[in-house]
Every structure is written in structure tokens, then in C-alpha cells.
Amino acid sequence: MATRKPGARTRKASATRKKSGSGRGQRGQKETRHSDASRRKSQAKRSGNGALRERERVRSESPGNAITLLKQDHARVRSLYEDYETSGGLDKLNIAEKIMRELDGHAAAEERIFYRALRDNAGKDAQRLVRGAADEHREVKTAVQKLRDMDPEDEAFGRRFEDMFESICRHVDTEEREMFPLAEQVLGQQLDELGWEIRQFKDGISPKWAIAA
């Protein structure tokens, strides 16, 4: 009967342990890779859910569509002008400057966002209206700059301010009667997104920005 050498048994046991250890290592690597993949998938899902929640939050907090915001601007300037007419002294001059700041922000947002969207998505009628409105904006910007260069206590300041406001009223009338109804037909649901863009833009601009259409 052959006698098995102790060294042979030791080598066999060692080989078995190595094989077993190798198997466990491979299983561990697979489990680690699987765990990493699951973690990345979970993170991606959370990120996607976060983006969805953010879009829903933006919708729920939307300030209104573009036309609603622009009409609010128009109404605010008209209200300020009524205050201007009934005020005097320093209060009158402060209101005049406030109106000019409102015009700066309104014109910049309207040209940069609303006019551009309408011009890019509509036909010749809309493009004609946009060109005309942009020309009127340039006239108002010129008038505002001249007023800022004047001495507010100069008698001519009041007359020029009134002339500028009359031009603004004609401009607003054309927008609300012709341009806005056309925009509702052409842009539709896009007006909601444009409203949010206008609000973000106006919140971040310098009061004296003015961007040509």
C-alpha cells in the first residue's frame, strides 16, 4: 500500500485554498461591479426624478405667459404716469426716473425674447409688426437718453417726457390690438415658456440694458 507524503497533502490543500480564494475574489469583483452599476443606475434615476421635479416646480411657479407679463408692464407704466401727473417736486422726478427704468427693462426683455420668438415662428405680417415695434423702441430709447441728459428742473423736460409717453401709448395700443392676438395664434403654448424666460431675464438685467431686435 502506497504512503501519501505529507508534503503532497499540504500542496494540494494549498492549491485548493488558492482556487477557493480566487473564486471568492472573482465573485467579490462581480458583486462590486454589480453594486457600482446599481448605484450609478440609482443615482441616474434620482437625478432624472430631480430634473422632473424641477420642471414641475418651474411650471407651478410660472409667473404667467409672455403676453400677460408684457401687459402687466404696460399697466404698471400707465399707473406710474398717473402718479407722475399728480405729483410735484422731487417726487415727480423720482417717478419719471422709475418710468424710464421700467421702459429699459421692458424693451430689453420684449426684444430679446418675445419679438425674436414671434419673428422666428411667424410669417410676413408678424415680421412687419416686429420691425415697426422695434423702430418705435429705438425712438423711445433715444427720447429716454435725451431726458437723462437734461436738467430735470428744465421746463422742457416735462414737455419732452409727455411727448415720449404719448409715443409709448400709441406703441402699446398697436401691440395689444394687433401683435398680441397674432402671437397667441402663432406661439400658443410656447408663450408660457417665454413668460418664464422674460421673468428670469428681467430679474437679472441691469436697469439700463437695451438690446436691439
Side-chain angles (χ1 to χ4, degrees), residues 30-97:
K30 289 181 180 178
E31 289 172 358
T32 299
R33 287 195 295 270
H34 178 71
S35 176
D36 289 344
S38 298
R39 188 162 52 251
R40 287 193 296 271
K41 186 175 181 180
S42 177
Q43 289 172 346
K45 185 176 180 180
R46 286 198 299 271
S47 177
N49 290 339
L52 179 61
R53 286 194 297 270
E54 178 64 13
R55 287 195 295 272
E56 289 173 350
R57 183 191 67 78
V58 167
R59 271 192 219 102
S60 68
E61 297 179 2
S62 175
N65 71 32
I67 290 175
T68 298
L69 288 181
L70 296 175
K71 283 185 175 180
Q72 287 173 355
D73 285 351
H74 294 168
R76 186 159 48 250
V77 169
R78 281 193 291 262
S79 178
L80 284 169
Y81 188 75
E82 291 175 2
D83 293 340
Y84 171 84
E85 288 185 306
T86 58
S87 298
L90 186 59
D91 286 343
K92 193 179 190 76
L93 298 179
N94 287 337
I95 293 171
E97 178 56 33

Side-chain angles (χ1 to χ4, degrees), residues 114-134 174-175 178-187 213:
F114 180 70
Y115 285 179
R116 185 172 296 177
L118 186 57
R119 183 180 56 205
D120 291 347
N121 289 277
K124 292 182 178 180
D125 286 344
Q127 292 173 1
R128 173 184 57 80
L129 287 171
V130 169
R131 283 195 300 271
T174 301
E175 280 191 338
E178 299 182 39
M179 183 183 287
F180 289 176
L182 180 59
E184 287 175 336
Q185 295 176 18
V186 172
L187 299 174

